[in-house]
Short mmCIF file of all heavy atoms in Angstrom, two decimals:
data_model
loop_
_atom_site.label_atom_id
_atom_site.label_comp_id
_atom_site.label_asym_id
_atom_site.label_seq_id
_atom_site.Cartn_x
_atom_site.Cartn_y
_atom_site.Cartn_z
N CYS X 29 18.92 -4.39 -18.35
CA CYS X 29 19.28 -3.01 -18.65
C CYS X 29 18.08 -2.14 -18.34
O CYS X 29 16.98 -2.36 -18.82
CB CYS X 29 19.66 -2.86 -20.12
SG CYS X 29 21.20 -3.67 -20.51
N CYS X 210 27.00 -1.17 -17.38
CA CYS X 210 26.25 -2.41 -17.12
C CYS X 210 27.18 -3.55 -16.74
O CYS X 210 26.88 -4.32 -15.82
CB CYS X 210 25.40 -2.78 -18.34
SG CYS X 210 23.94 -1.72 -18.50
N HIS X 235 25.31 -2.72 -27.67
CA HIS X 235 25.45 -2.61 -26.22
C HIS X 235 25.80 -3.96 -25.56
O HIS X 235 26.79 -4.07 -24.82
CB HIS X 235 24.17 -2.03 -25.62
CG HIS X 235 24.21 -1.82 -24.14
ND1 HIS X 235 25.22 -1.13 -23.51
CD2 HIS X 235 23.39 -2.24 -23.14
CE1 HIS X 235 25.00 -1.10 -22.21
NE2 HIS X 235 23.90 -1.78 -21.95
N GLU X 239 29.13 -5.35 -23.77
CA GLU X 239 29.14 -5.83 -22.38
C GLU X 239 29.89 -7.16 -22.29
O GLU X 239 30.69 -7.39 -21.37
CB GLU X 239 27.72 -6.03 -21.86
CG GLU X 239 27.02 -4.77 -21.40
CD GLU X 239 25.70 -5.10 -20.69
OE1 GLU X 239 25.67 -6.01 -19.84
OE2 GLU X 239 24.68 -4.46 -21.02
ZN1 ZN P 501 22.90 -2.35 -20.23
#
Side-chain angles (χ1 to χ4, degrees):
C29 290
C210 285
H235 183 52
E239 279 189 46

